[in-house]
Amino acid sequence: ETFKRNIESGFYEGLAFHRLIRNYLIQTGDPLSKDDAQKEQWGTTDIGQNIPGEFGGSHVRYAVAMAHKAGETTSSGSQFFITLRPATSLDGSYAVFGEVTQGMDVLNRLSGSVVDTNDVPVKRIEIVDAKIVRGDTQLAGSSTTGGRRKTKPDSQKGRLERFIERVW
């Protein structure tokens, strides 16, 4: 619910992916990442509303989970990550709430971006647009068994909007 509220409010728009670990995970959701002048602090804050640590779900390949600071027992109110390979060592420590079902090639390309020694991308990778799409809509090219339908052409969507449509 917190993730959905963040998207509906436009919170994620303009945020950068602040952590990319090749073939492991990508992370975003820090409000400081809207400002390149604060790049040294990216990954250190969230919206200031931690949520109870619902540390369930399995970190399968392409799992979507809320992040938290090391040693915390609550989840971030805004930072989330996507695993790019199974990461069962994270099970029981983070709240997994979704799984990417399409567009994995984009995520894998993101993870291959050049990063600094803190895993921060050298070039800014920003969320342009984010929307919630009903889970019972069918994506283009998918079977009707999934009960999903396309909301608008992909050419009119930002990367995160396409990602969210795929997750939900």
Side-chain angles (χ1 to χ4, degrees), residues 68-138:
H68 63 76
K69 293 179 183 172
E72 292 281 326
T73 58
T74 59
S75 291
S76 169
S78 61
Q79 287 197 39
F80 68 95
F81 63 91
I82 302 164
T83 57
L84 302 177
R85 64 178 162 119
T88 55
S89 64
L90 302 176
D91 289 357
S93 298
Y94 297 90
V96 176
F97 64 91
E99 185 176 339
V100 178
T101 60
Q102 293 182 17
M104 291 75 108
D105 57 325
V106 174
L107 301 177
N108 290 322
R109 281 196 314 266
L110 284 177
S111 90
S113 300
V114 177
V115 296
D116 65 17
T117 57
N118 292 317
D119 299 315
V120 177
V122 173
K123 288 187 177 181
R124 182 179 185 79
I125 302 170
E126 180 178 304
I127 298 169
V128 176
D129 191 23
K131 301 280 186 238
I132 293 291
V133 178
R134 287 182 18 181
D136 62 349
T137 58
Q138 183 176 341

Side-chain angles (χ1 to χ4, degrees), residues 55-69:
F55 299 150
S58 180
H59 288 79
V60 296
R61 189 173 193 194
Y62 305 117
V64 183
M66 294 308 286
H68 63 76
K69 293 179 183 172

